[in-house]
């Protein structure tokens, strides 16, 4: 199965609002996306199938500064990603190691 890869680059993200904006941009979420945890969870489980009919890999880069700045938010974000992956077998969320400044 071919995987379609989307990069979610969190470079410069310092709060939940910026995280939601990055998710909306990277994943092509609609303008009416609610920019809250529930809306993100719903959006991740309702993404359209990627081109080619394969799975979707979301690669999260430069996440460490955000995780250190907002550890409680980062725990919630990880939980939202994990629950989405549990619900959508063709979805993978990968944390890139390295490359974080």
């Amino acid at each position: 199965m071919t995987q379609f890869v989307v990069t979610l680059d969190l470079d410069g993200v310092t709060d939940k609002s910026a995280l939601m904006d990055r998710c909306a941009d990277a994943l092509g979420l609609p303008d009416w996306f609610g920019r809250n945890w529930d809306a993100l969870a719903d959006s991740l489980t309702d993404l359209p199938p990627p081109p080619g009919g394969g799975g979707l890999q979301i690669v999260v880069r430069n996440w460490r500064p955000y995780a250190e700045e907002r550890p409680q938010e980062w725990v919630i974000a990880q939980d939202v990603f994990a629950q989405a992956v549990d619900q959508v077998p063709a979805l993978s969320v990968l944390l890139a190691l390295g490359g974080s400044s």
Side-chain angles (χ1 to χ4, degrees), residues 16-89:
K16 178 182 166 188
S17 176
L19 172 68
M20 294 296 163
D21 288 344
R22 281 300 161 84
C23 288
D25 290 344
L27 300 173
L29 303 180
D31 291 338
W32 48 263
F33 167 62
R35 286 175 168 70
N36 60 58
W37 298 119
D38 289 335
L40 181 58
D42 291 343
S43 296
L44 288 170
T45 58
D46 198 30
L47 290 170
L56 173 63
Q57 287 184 348
I58 300 170
V59 178
V60 184
R61 298 194 59 218
N62 299 309
W63 54 272
R64 288 183 185 190
Y66 174 67
E68 292 169 3
E69 180 74 22
R70 302 287 184 140
Q72 292 176 325
E73 289 177 12
W74 181 241
V75 168
I76 295 169
Q78 289 180 92
D79 190 48
V80 168
F81 291 137
Q83 287 181 28
V85 168
D86 288 345
Q87 291 180 33
V88 181

